[in-house]
Amino acid sequence: MRLPALVACSVVMLCLALPAVMPAAAEASSARLDRAERKVIRLVNQIRTRHGLRRLKASRALSRAAGGHSSDMVRRDFFGHASSNGTPMNRRVKTYTRARWVGENLAIVSGRGTAGRVVRMWMNSAGHRRVILDRKSRRIGVGRRSGRVGSFRGTVYTADFASR
């Protein structure tokens, strides 16, 4: 007699727990990279290989961080490494993943062929280049969102990098 009551209780507990699990699963699936985001990672890895550095592993957690930041910039109409609420980049990224070192590159562009253009822009900038070629980096996540930032209409790219 106690077994059916235990099974019924377990089923009720499972049904109550599902809504708490489902948003996390939905959020995880939203970190899937689109073609342009995958191309950014591929180009960054080609550059790192040419410089004798290890390839970076694509990270879903870092892609969620990057996509969230790109969305925040478009939604709140700003462009910068700190979040719209003032959270510094390193603290924001570290809420998504454990890492001793994190770095971030940003870009906003319009038109076609933007993934290649974004990576070329970063490589032509000493600070952005340093982040791409940093030996501590092991993982990368990319997120892009289209919209208006100020009077500029285009696509905002965020690439987040992290050590192990």
Side-chain angles (χ1 to χ4, degrees), residues 90-164:
N90 63 334
R91 195 165 355 133
R92 174 179 42 81
V93 174
K94 286 180 180 181
T95 63
Y96 288 86
T97 189
R98 293 178 59 133
R100 289 187 129 178
W101 175 89
V102 295
E104 180 172 83
N105 283 347
L106 304 176
I108 184 167
V109 294
S110 65
R112 295 187 169 275
T114 56
R117 200 167 56 194
V118 163
V119 174
R120 280 191 304 277
M121 287 168 43
W122 288 338
M123 289 304 291
N124 288 323
S125 160
H128 296 95
R129 180 184 177 93
R130 205 170 17 260
V131 172
I132 289 172
L133 298 178
D134 197 299
R135 292 184 182 280
K136 293 182 289 291
S137 193
R138 297 290 184 265
R139 298 173 288 152
I140 184 173
V142 178
R144 71 183 188 114
R145 300 296 184 269
S146 295
R148 187 174 296 282
V149 176
S151 62
F152 189 85
R153 180 148 188 79
T155 303
V156 175
Y157 281 78
T158 302
D160 286 330
F161 300 79
S163 59
R164 285 179 231 208

Side-chain angles (χ1 to χ4, degrees), residues 32-107:
R32 290 203 176 104
L33 298 172
D34 69 20
R35 196 160 125 195
E37 293 162 342
R38 285 191 310 270
K39 186 170 182 180
V40 167
I41 294 172
R42 192 169 49 252
L43 292 171
V44 165
N45 277 328
Q46 288 172 1
I47 290 165
R48 287 179 61 85
T49 300
R50 281 197 305 263
H51 284 84
L53 298 169
R54 72 172 60 200
R55 297 172 60 82
L56 302 177
K57 182 179 176 194
S59 164
R60 251 191 190 181
L62 289 173
S63 291
R64 280 194 303 274
H69 189 57
S70 290
S71 293
D72 187 32
M73 287 188 283
V74 169
R75 190 173 41 255
R76 304 272 189 214
D77 193 18
F78 77 99
F79 189 78
H81 291 286
S83 298
S84 61
N85 66 5
T87 303
M89 177 274 296
N90 63 334
R91 195 165 355 133
R92 174 179 42 81
V93 174
K94 286 180 180 181
T95 63
Y96 288 86
T97 189
R98 293 178 59 133
R100 289 187 129 178
W101 175 89
V102 295
E104 180 172 83
N105 283 347
L106 304 176

